[in-house]
Amino acid sequence: MSDRHALASLIHPRSIAIIGASDDALRIGGRPIAYMRQQGYQGRLMPVNPKRSTIQGVPAYASVADLPETPDLAIVAVAAKLAPDVVEELGKRGTRVAIVFSAGFAEADAQGAALQDRMIAAARRYGLRLLGPNSLGVLNPRIGFYGSFTSVVESGFPKAGRVGIASQSGAYGSHILGLARDYGIGVSACVMSGNESDISLGDMVQAFVDDPDTDVIAVYSEGIRDGQRLLAALEAARLARKPVVMMKVGTSEVGSAAAQSHTASIAGNDAVTDAVLAEHGVVRARSTEHMLDVARLATRRIYPVHNSLGVITVSGGAGVIVSDAAELCGLPMPQMPAAAQRHLKELIPFCAPRNPVDCTAQFMNDLSIAGRFADAVVQEGGYQSILGFFTYTVGAASIADGLRAQLNAVRERHPDRLFVLCILASRERVQQYEDDGFSVYEDPARAVAAIEAMGRFGAAFARPAGQKTPSAPVSIPLPDATPSEATAKQILAQAGIAVAEERVCADARAAVAAAEQIGYPVVMKILSPDILHKSEIGGVLLDVANAQAVQAGHARLLERAATAAPDARIEGVLVARQLSGGVECILGTQRDPVFGPVAMFGLGGIFVEIMKDVVLRRCPFDIDTAEQMILSIKGAPLLQGARGKPPADVKALAIMLSRLSHFAHEAGPRLQSIDLNPVIALPAGQGAYAVDAVIELAADGDARADVARGPGPGTL
Amino acid sequence: MSDRHALASLIHPRSIAIIGASDDALRIGGRPIAYMRQQGYQGRLMPVNPKRSTIQGVPAYASVADLPETPDLAIVAVAAKLAPDVVEELGKRGTRVAIVFSAGFAEADAQGAALQDRMIAAARRYGLRLLGPNSLGVLNPRIGFYGSFTSVVESGFPKAGRVGIASQSGAYGSHILGLARDYGIGVSACVMSGNESDISLGDMVQAFVDDPDTDVIAVYSEGIRDGQRLLAALEAARLARKPVVMMKVGTSEVGSAAAQSHTASIAGNDAVTDAVLAEHGVVRARSTEHMLDVARLATRRIYPVHNSLGVITVSGGAGVIVSDAAELCGLPMPQMPAAAQRHLKELIPFCAPRNPVDCTAQFMNDLSIAGRFADAVVQEGGYQSILGFFTYTVGAASIADGLRAQLNAVRERHPDRLFVLCILASRERVQQYEDDGFSVYEDPARAVAAIEAMGRFGAAFARPAGQKTPSAPVSIPLPDATPSEATAKQILAQAGIAVAEERVCADARAAVAAAEQIGYPVVMKILSPDILHKSEIGGVLLDVANAQAVQAGHARLLERAATAAPDARIEGVLVARQLSGGVECILGTQRDPVFGPVAMFGLGGIFVEIMKDVVLRRCPFDIDTAEQMILSIKGAPLLQGARGKPPADVKALAIMLSRLSHFAHEAGPRLQSIDLNPVIALPAGQGAYAVDAVIELAADGDARADVARGPGPGTL
């Protein structure tokens, strides 16, 4: 709870000490004081500077100890080497939270990193929360709090409002703040984290979740370090119905640890981020503009659970642009009911009444037509979101006021709908419409992208609180080192995962016996904990058809292993049922360094490796979710009976995927990855079976995997 | 040539008659006069109105016959039913070109269509070119020519400049014009075509190609009707080094004729448009903003042939955003040379010198650092395009002028490079930089998208004039109706296309003989011109292994055909070599209603039908182009030896694809489509063979195909 108080003070401090305060309004220690005086901050400002009695006209104090009261928040703007002692003094005084502007810490060199460690240790001793170092600080236009030295405000202060901005970059955070100001977006606060020695991305998001004056959270991230903390804050935001729109840059970046895993090499780390953010209802912004477009519309606080778009337009072309954009992002645009279409045709015989509803230029002669068409779209069409394309006509002197009155009459009758306009007009005219309650965009495609996001928020908010399927505690002991295929399969079988029938055979005689029991043809594989990718050394034989072939095969496998991996420990050969007539799939899990275990599903071979057609989700999840994942891949028709094949046993795949996710979740941090490749999904009702399985483990107490793996082909 | 004069007069008339001129400055016949007087049009204005001697203070004439001189251009703003006679009179007077504002023609009903036919017939009689009807006209801010009644100019006239705008929509064309005005883009003219009864999209583009005051052409299209005309104009634009950026809406639209073809059902009509535009160097805009962003940057007239991007930034985060955006659109960002990196590290030990080059906030203390870093990127990095991210720092009072001087010094030393800045500043400050010669964008991702387009223009301009491979005239007679598989293959074989060895067999005995000659196993297929999709009726047998099986198979095929298609003419059975060990591909052509024959290549089955992984190109093209196409699909690694398979004979595929394209080109409009599905590409050196072939023909004199085909599965 004290943490929450500290975070509240960070964005809404009642009194502020500035350590290293400067009389020069252009210096780091001078800018915050100058800005705050200019913007009328009402709390107490306490500059600390041993050399002066006043700073910019404000009484100053010689040291933290001399302060007349404990500051709610402190700004540290001294040389790096002095900062740890200042933080120590602030802690002693009972200050809750400090912003450290100073640079020259971990971002600079090893010496700086040591200094940072010392500073953060001091802060922890006193329970002082710390933003930075190397932070550009916090701005809260609601109360004129400018705990920042960003020069972006030189060309204008942002408007107070209800969008909170959390940024991991000072320069880019300020750029976003400047754009928000220019777009007329009201800001509740902007927090820029710097080195994140203490207060992290998740903390910043949580601060806005807890801030009663913030409705919408816009996040700029360069690298997520506090995965669990962030996810908790995102879930809190979802439950509080506060939409989060996030720009996470570095889509090409691949974490060095994760790059070794097969899944990451297929899907990229960024795909994990995508999957995790979507799960928590976060809308990931494609660009800065997209982020601000979404944030702006979200301040209307209308989040349709089942979004649909009705369009009224004065241009057929604009209608097509909107339809294209809606199709691209999957926003439904159902047709108008037939009766409503007839009704509109009676009004204007040449109108296009389906949706987009084109009222043609006729409305310029009779403005009530615009109102009647708009009302039909809202009332009879029943759309949750309405987009009106009126372009420059709203500015034509002869109709401007009349059109606005018509549109407002419709809007007022339906306060639950999202009303967006695409118009081209003077700043004043646009502001009038915004003040009325319309959200205005110039570009129809941008308007559609923002509208679509509102539906994603709505759907996410409608989901019940995260009642993770309480998995039966799977307490399966993991071996000390990466197990052989056979052991891996035994472990997975304990977790309820179906594996193809097979026998471990110590010699050729046992192999023949096993094959006779299983039934021909069989598959034979070399069995060794030291040979992970058998197919690469020719360690897999298919279509072994009779006893003689089994004997020959046994000899060939041992010979190939001896040649390719002379030091490998050979545990025998595996004889397995050869599954045919099914669809080849890949299931797997990978431990993401930030988010923990993530499960993957894809179709076998080419589909995963060349087409990158996979779906990811953080573990664990239930069977229904697994089935949705499976059916969401592009190649899903192949599992549903495309091209005359019988439909595959998707249900069995879903059960396997869900169980795999629970197992990976329960297994703890030593489990690096699981590859089930291939899994054969037989026709519906006949099950799905893992044919090969690799489990990679980290050695006890070691964060890294105890085997090195390239991202090579993983089949068999 | 008179056409070119007419088009020149359309955008740059020396005198103008307005038929149906109105004294009311808000009416259709009044607006153009009011606008032109306001904007100081210097040519002669001749209002025609039988009821008044002056219109808005300008002397008026009772009729076209009464005009004191032949107008260079006429604006027709009379009721639709009077328009044909007015056009007749204008033709008699020798007027070259007319804009018809009037509506109520083909866009309204059948009666209107007849009226339009009558009007256009009159125009043709006199060689008068006609824009419209239902056109919002032409605006040319260079000479104050406002041959339009759009109200978008009520909120401001566009600036004169060098971007020509051609639009098939009046309302959306005006919207684009309004945005161009608000973005400060200078416009040479804006032409809006309306019903296109005569002057079409291609004509408008050609007019701008011929206009010496236009450097860049921005096109908004809703439906291309004049394919060949447009392509000729686009090629003329390319040869004149005038970049064309085009927004073609209706990406989900599928023309009704083309929807029947297999290729179109796979790739969609829009993919054809994409391929054709790319071939002519047109940059297809994703959105209105994208179009204007590209047009604006193109006015710098720097089109790098081998584009590369060097970035100097004051924010690491912005550098990552730029890198992400560049990777997404394929714009190369090579690293700085090692020596240059060392050199920069000496200047600032903590800088990031690779590219993006991050000069850190240090430059704010010493502005020469910004200049030295920028110079290193341009001089030592050698990049063709430079993006500087300086955000709000350009507006900080203490450094604004000094930074501008530093950046200009670098720019002036390298006038051949494209200099783009990402800054946030007052309108005046942005305008200063624009006037200096920098192109300014707020959003780094938008800047990157525009820069990438300049390279595509450069590469297109560098290609020599379209020397279409002179194909050996393939004069292969086409049969009267859609041929059987065997005949289709004979025709294709004449065109040099390799087909799998096969025999037409009249009876079971012949089938056995053929199979013995070809070698087992063989494929057997029913042969009938009335059964196109044999596999759907079980009319294909694989793996037929011996004489007995051939006999049994023959009986089975006849029986199945008799059951499924009792009226089909049976020509026997086909016995063919069964090809194995190759990669299954699909090759085809389709007659696009707008662009003529288009060839398609994709991998077989699932890759085409589910993954939509295909490439298209207008026919004909040479073997090198065909090879580039083949290697451009996502699944190309499958042809190049992925997953341990031998590389396929891509050369043989390329020869087949190119020959197919020539054949389709030469065959003329009766050829509706060709499907070679599958084609088996054997390992390199062993060739590629069409296993099945369907040729669809239109009956003589019939535009439609003489067989109806669903878009169902097309294998075998």
Side-chain angles (χ1 to χ4, degrees):
Chain A
M1 210 50 211
S2 74
D3 268 6
R4 294 209 160 171
H5 281 140
L7 293 175
S9 295
L10 179 69
I11 56 178
H12 205 306
R14 286 183 307 272
S15 61
I16 304 166
I18 301 101
I19 328 297
S22 169
D23 211 40
D24 181 345
L26 286 178
R27 303 199 61 145
I28 283 182
R31 281 183 185 263
I33 299 168
Y35 294 153
M36 286 194 268
R37 298 198 65 210
Q38 203 177 330
Q39 292 296 301
Y41 173 70
Q42 295 294 312
R44 190 169 187 173
L45 278 184
M46 297 172 281
V48 174
N49 184 323
K51 295 183 191 148
R52 295 180 154 271
S53 61
T54 66
I55 295 281
Q56 300 185 45
V58 182
Y61 305 91
S63 71
V64 171
D66 292 330
L67 289 173
E69 62 174 85
T70 298
D72 203 23
L73 172 144
I75 293 171
V76 179
V78 299
K81 65 178 187 296
L82 305 176
D85 290 342
V86 167
V87 166
E88 176 91 29
E89 285 172 60
L90 287 168
K92 272 187 197 149
R93 278 301 298 255
T95 312
R96 276 180 183 149
V97 63
I99 301 171
V100 182
F101 286 175
S102 325
F105 291 92
E107 83 285 2
D109 51 24
Q111 210 178 338
L115 207 57
Q116 182 169 314
D117 288 345
R118 198 149 68 77
M119 179 170 68
I120 200 67
R124 294 236 162 87
R125 267 197 298 284
Y126 299 98
L128 180 155
R129 299 299 308 266
L130 196 148
L131 184 73
N134 193 26
S135 164
L136 210 47
V138 180
L139 305 87
N140 178 338
R142 289 171 288 160
I143 57 167
F145 164 48
Y146 283 86
S148 175
F149 58 97
T150 178
S151 61
V152 73
V153 293
E154 275 194 54
S155 35
F157 287 85
K159 191 171 81 176
R162 305 193 63 85
V163 175
I165 300 172
S167 172
Q168 289 188 310
S169 162
Y172 210 78
S174 297
H175 185 77
I176 292 167
L177 186 67
L179 282 174
R181 173 197 62 208
D182 297 347
Y183 292 178
I185 296 175
V187 172
S188 62
C190 173
V191 184
M192 297 173 281
S193 63
N195 287 11
E196 293 196 1
S197 69
D198 174 28
I199 292 174
S200 65
L201 195 61
D203 291 319
M204 295 194 287
V205 172
Q206 187 65 54
F208 284 123
V209 172
D210 295 336
D211 175 27
D213 293 324
T214 296
D215 288 334
V216 176
I217 306 169
V219 181
Y220 171 82
S221 168
E222 296 181 349
I224 299 166
R225 295 175 206 97
D226 59 340
Q228 301 306 321
R229 179 91 195 85
L230 176 65
L231 294 185
L234 294 177
E235 189 61 8
R238 185 177 78 83
L239 296 177
R241 296 180 60 85
K242 293 197 180 185
V244 178
V245 54
M246 182 162 168
M247 192 170 172
K248 162 72 181 68
V249 304
T251 52
S252 50
E253 155 217 61
V254 178
S256 58
Q260 301 207 338
S261 108
H262 189 207
T263 308
S265 77
I266 289 167
N269 247 16
D270 199 55
V272 174
T273 308
D274 253 4
V276 169
L277 294 182
E279 184 187 345
H280 287 270
V282 175
V283 167
R284 186 162 179 186
R286 294 186 302 267
S287 69
T288 321
E289 287 181 340
H290 185 211
M291 178 164 72
L292 292 173
D293 284 350
V294 170
R296 185 156 64 86
L297 190 55
T299 59
R300 298 287 174 195
R301 303 190 67 188
I302 295 173
Y303 313 118
V305 179
H306 300 289
N307 206 2
S308 61
L309 179 64
V311 178
I312 172 167
T313 178
V314 300
S315 151
V320 178
I321 294 172
V322 169
S323 304
D324 287 355
E327 184 179 298
L328 198 69
C329 66
L331 174 59
M333 282 182 60
Q335 287 186 23
M336 289 280 282
Q341 294 196 35
R342 275 195 304 277
H343 166 102
L344 293 176
K345 278 275 189 193
E346 283 159 21
L347 281 176
I348 305 181
F350 311 131
C351 77
R354 279 164 57 124
N355 186 28
V357 174
D358 184 352
C359 68
T360 78
Q362 274 299 102
F363 80 99
M364 293 190 74
N365 301 323
D366 175 4
L367 283 173
S368 75
I369 286 176
R372 288 161 81 178
F373 268 70
D375 203 56
V377 169
V378 180
Q379 182 71 47
E380 300 176 58
Y383 306 106
Q384 295 302 299
S385 302
I386 320 295
L387 176 59
F389 182 86
F390 289 94
T391 177
Y392 53 89
T393 63
V394 299
S398 50
I399 63 160
D401 293 328
L403 179 58
R404 186 174 153 223
Q406 291 284 345
L407 295 177
N408 267 309
V410 177
R411 188 188 51 72
E412 281 159 13
R413 279 196 296 279
H414 300 280
D416 58 325
R417 312 294 175 88
L418 205 52
F419 282 90
V420 177
L421 290 181
C422 204
I423 59 177
L424 221 52
S426 66
R427 261 187 116 84
E428 297 68 36
R429 176 68 64 181
V430 167
Q431 193 59 52
Q432 281 179 343
Y433 274 106
E434 284 276 356
D435 293 344
D436 289 343
F438 296 98
S439 291
V440 175
Y441 294 82
E442 278 183 350
D443 190 301
R446 275 171 70 177
V448 169
I451 292 168
E452 189 272 337
M454 298 309 110
R456 276 195 272 162
F457 292 136
F461 295 163
R463 288 201 303 269
Q467 37 185 4
K468 285 285 182 196
T469 344
S471 49
V474 191
S475 57
I476 301 160
L478 294 176
D480 291 341
T482 288
S484 70
E485 178 181 349
T487 311
K489 284 179 176 170
Q490 283 157 19
I491 293 170
L492 292 166
Q494 288 176 55
I497 287 160
V499 296
E501 190 186 357
E502 63 182 22
R503 302 273 193 287
V504 179
C505 306
D507 53 31
R509 214 166 48 102
V512 171
E516 302 281 336
Q517 203 164 0
I518 288 169
Y520 293 106
V522 295
V523 179
M524 296 180 71
K525 305 181 212 177
I526 192 72
L527 182 59
S528 163
D530 302 318
I531 302 174
L532 287 184
H533 294 296
K534 305 174 208 20
S535 58
E536 287 170 14
I537 65 150
V540 179
L541 304 175
L542 298 173
D543 284 315
V544 185
N546 53 43
Q548 201 181 344
V550 170
Q551 275 182 322
H554 186 268
R556 198 174 329 144
L557 288 176
L558 291 183
E559 185 193 309
R560 284 179 181 172
T563 309
D567 298 333
R569 291 160 289 168
I570 305 297
E571 298 180 352
V573 301
L574 267 179
V575 174
R577 181 179 158 201
Q578 178 157 326
L579 296 164
S580 56
V583 180
E584 203 179 292
C585 305
I586 298 181
L587 281 72
T589 73
Q590 166 219 341
R591 185 164 189 85
D592 183 87
V594 176
F595 297 114
V598 173
M600 181 194 78
F601 173 80
L603 293 179
I606 281 142
F607 288 94
V608 163
E609 290 177 12
I610 293 173
M611 311 306 274
K612 312 284 183 200
D613 183 25
V614 297
V615 56
L616 302 173
R617 193 178 177 94
R618 210 159 58 94
C619 303
F621 44 83
D622 61 23
I623 294 169
D624 285 348
T625 305
E627 187 165 345
Q628 285 164 24
M629 288 169 64
I630 291 166
L631 297 180
S632 75
I633 64 168
K634 215 173 160 187
L638 281 174
L639 293 164
Q640 295 171 298
R643 296 170 62 78
K645 283 193 176 180
D649 200 333
V650 171
K651 200 79 195 170
L653 282 175
I655 291 169
M656 185 186 290
L657 186 58
S658 170
R659 285 180 181 167
L660 192 68
S661 79
H662 283 290
F663 173 68
H665 177 67
E666 304 286 336
R670 281 193 57 230
L671 177 67
Q672 296 299 303
S673 70
I674 305 174
D675 269 343
L676 306 185
N677 181 4
V679 168
I680 303 295
L682 294 174
Q686 297 179 37
Y689 299 92
V691 171
D692 196 2
V694 176
I695 294 180
E696 282 186 84
L697 298 175
D700 273 320
D702 185 358
R704 293 185 47 235
D706 63 348
V707 285
R709 298 182 62 179
T715 328
L716 292 175
Chain B
M1 210 49 211
S2 74
D3 266 6
R4 292 209 164 172
H5 281 141
L7 292 177
S9 295
L10 179 68
I11 58 179
H12 206 306
R14 287 184 305 274
S15 60
I16 303 166
I18 300 101
I19 329 297
S22 169
D23 210 42
D24 181 347
L26 285 179
R27 302 196 64 142
I28 283 184
R31 281 184 184 262
I33 299 169
Y35 293 155
M36 287 195 267
R37 298 200 65 207
Q38 200 177 333
Q39 292 297 303
Y41 172 70
Q42 296 293 311
R44 189 169 188 175
L45 277 186
M46 296 172 281
V48 174
N49 183 324
K51 297 184 191 146
R52 294 179 155 272
S53 61
T54 65
I55 294 281
Q56 299 185 44
V58 182
Y61 305 92
S63 70
V64 170
D66 291 332
L67 290 172
E69 63 174 84
T70 297
D72 203 23
L73 172 142
I75 292 171
V76 179
V78 300
K81 62 178 188 297
L82 305 176
D85 291 342
V86 168
V87 166
E88 176 92 29
E89 286 173 57
L90 287 166
K92 274 187 198 147
R93 277 301 299 254
T95 311
R96 276 180 183 150
V97 63
I99 301 171
V100 181
F101 285 175
S102 324
F105 292 91
E107 85 285 3
D109 50 25
Q111 208 177 339
L115 208 58
Q116 182 169 316
D117 288 344
R118 196 147 70 77
M119 178 170 68
I120 199 68
R124 294 237 162 87
R125 268 199 296 283
Y126 300 97
L128 180 154
R129 299 297 308 267
L130 196 148
L131 185 73
N134 193 24
S135 164
L136 211 47
V138 180
L139 305 87
N140 178 338
R142 290 172 287 161
I143 57 168
F145 165 48
Y146 284 86
S148 175
F149 59 97
T150 178
S151 61
V152 72
V153 294
E154 273 194 55
S155 38
F157 287 87
K159 193 171 80 178
R162 305 191 65 85
V163 175
I165 299 172
S167 172
Q168 290 188 307
S169 162
Y172 211 78
S174 296
H175 185 77
I176 292 167
L177 185 67
L179 282 174
R181 172 198 63 206
D182 297 347
Y183 292 179
I185 296 174
V187 172
S188 63
C190 174
V191 184
M192 297 173 280
S193 63
N195 287 10
E196 293 196 3
S197 69
D198 174 28
I199 293 176
S200 66
L201 195 61
D203 291 319
M204 295 194 287
V205 171
Q206 187 65 52
F208 284 123
V209 173
D210 294 335
D211 174 27
D213 293 324
T214 296
D215 289 335
V216 176
I217 305 170
V219 180
Y220 172 83
S221 168
E222 295 181 350
I224 299 166
R225 295 175 205 97
D226 60 341
Q228 301 307 321
R229 180 89 196 85
L230 176 66
L231 294 184
L234 294 177
E235 189 62 8
R238 185 177 78 83
L239 297 176
R241 296 180 62 81
K242 293 196 181 186
V244 178
V245 55
M246 180 162 168
M247 192 169 170
K248 162 74 181 68
V249 303
T251 52
S252 50
E253 158 216 60
V254 178
S256 58
Q260 300 208 340
S261 107
H262 189 205
T263 309
S265 78
I266 290 165
N269 247 17
D270 198 56
V272 174
T273 308
D274 253 4
V276 169
L277 294 180
E279 184 188 344
H280 287 271
V282 175
V283 167
R284 185 160 180 189
R286 291 186 304 268
S287 68
T288 321
E289 286 181 341
H290 185 212
M291 178 165 71
L292 292 172
D293 284 350
V294 169
R296 184 155 65 87
L297 190 55
T299 60
R300 298 286 174 199
R301 303 191 66 189
I302 296 173
Y303 313 117
V305 179
H306 299 289
N307 205 3
S308 61
L309 179 64
V311 178
I312 172 168
T313 178
V314 300
S315 151
V320 178
I321 292 172
V322 169
S323 304
D324 287 354
E327 186 180 298
L328 198 68
C329 66
L331 174 59
M333 284 183 59
Q335 286 186 26
M336 289 281 282
Q341 293 195 35
R342 275 195 303 277
H343 166 103
L344 293 177
K345 278 277 190 191
E346 282 159 20
L347 282 175
I348 305 182
F350 310 131
C351 78
R354 284 164 54 126
N355 187 29
V357 174
D358 184 351
C359 69
T360 77
Q362 274 299 102
F363 81 99
M364 293 192 75
N365 301 323
D366 175 3
L367 282 174
S368 75
I369 286 176
R372 289 162 80 177
F373 269 70
D375 202 56
V377 170
V378 180
Q379 182 70 47
E380 300 175 60
Y383 305 105
Q384 295 302 301
S385 302
I386 320 296
L387 176 60
F389 182 86
F390 288 95
T391 178
Y392 55 88
T393 63
V394 298
S398 49
I399 63 161
D401 293 329
L403 179 58
R404 185 172 153 224
Q406 290 283 344
L407 295 176
N408 267 309
V410 177
R411 189 187 50 72
E412 280 157 13
R413 280 196 295 280
H414 301 280
D416 58 324
R417 311 297 175 88
L418 204 53
F419 282 90
V420 177
L421 290 181
C422 204
I423 60 177
L424 219 52
S426 67
R427 263 187 113 84
E428 298 69 37
R429 176 67 65 182
V430 167
Q431 194 56 50
Q432 283 179 344
Y433 274 106
E434 284 276 356
D435 293 343
D436 289 344
F438 295 98
S439 292
V440 174
Y441 293 82
E442 277 183 349
D443 189 303
R446 276 172 68 176
V448 169
I451 292 168
E452 189 271 337
M454 298 308 111
R456 276 195 272 161
F457 291 135
F461 296 162
R463 288 202 303 267
Q467 35 186 2
K468 283 281 181 199
T469 343
S471 50
V474 191
S475 57
I476 300 160
L478 294 177
D480 291 338
T482 289
S484 71
E485 178 181 347
T487 311
K489 284 180 177 169
Q490 283 157 18
I491 294 170
L492 293 165
Q494 288 176 58
I497 286 159
V499 294
E501 189 185 357
E502 63 183 20
R503 300 275 192 287
V504 179
C505 307
D507 54 30
R509 213 168 49 103
V512 171
E516 303 279 340
Q517 204 164 358
I518 289 169
Y520 293 106
V522 294
V523 179
M524 297 180 69
K525 303 181 213 177
I526 192 75
L527 181 60
S528 162
D530 301 317
I531 302 175
L532 289 182
H533 294 296
K534 307 174 203 24
S535 58
E536 287 170 13
I537 66 150
V540 180
L541 304 174
L542 299 173
D543 284 316
V544 184
N546 53 45
Q548 200 182 345
V550 170
Q551 276 182 319
H554 186 267
R556 199 174 329 144
L557 287 177
L558 291 183
E559 184 193 309
R560 283 179 182 172
T563 308
D567 299 331
R569 291 160 288 167
I570 305 297
E571 299 179 352
V573 301
L574 267 180
V575 173
R577 182 179 159 203
Q578 177 156 326
L579 297 164
S580 55
V583 180
E584 200 180 294
C585 304
I586 297 179
L587 281 72
T589 73
Q590 166 218 342
R591 183 162 191 86
D592 183 87
V594 176
F595 297 114
V598 174
M600 181 194 79
F601 173 80
L603 294 179
I606 282 141
F607 289 94
V608 163
E609 291 178 12
I610 293 172
M611 311 308 272
K612 311 285 182 199
D613 184 24
V614 297
V615 58
L616 301 173
R617 194 177 176 93
R618 211 158 57 94
C619 304
F621 44 83
D622 62 20
I623 294 169
D624 285 348
T625 305
E627 187 165 346
Q628 285 163 26
M629 287 168 66
I630 291 165
L631 297 180
S632 76
I633 62 167
K634 212 172 162 190
L638 281 174
L639 292 164
Q640 296 170 299
R643 297 171 60 81
K645 283 194 175 179
D649 200 333
V650 171
K651 200 81 194 170
L653 281 175
I655 291 169
M656 185 185 293
L657 186 58
S658 171
R659 286 181 180 166
L660 191 69
S661 79
H662 284 289
F663 173 67
H665 178 65
E666 303 287 336
R670 281 195 57 231
L671 178 67
Q672 296 298 302
S673 70
I674 305 175
D675 269 342
L676 306 185
N677 181 7
V679 169
I680 302 294
L682 295 174
Q686 298 179 37
Y689 299 92
V691 171
D692 195 2
V694 175
I695 294 180
E696 280 186 83
L697 299 176
D700 272 319
D702 184 0
R704 292 183 50 234
D706 64 346
V707 286
R709 296 185 63 181
T715 329
L716 294 172

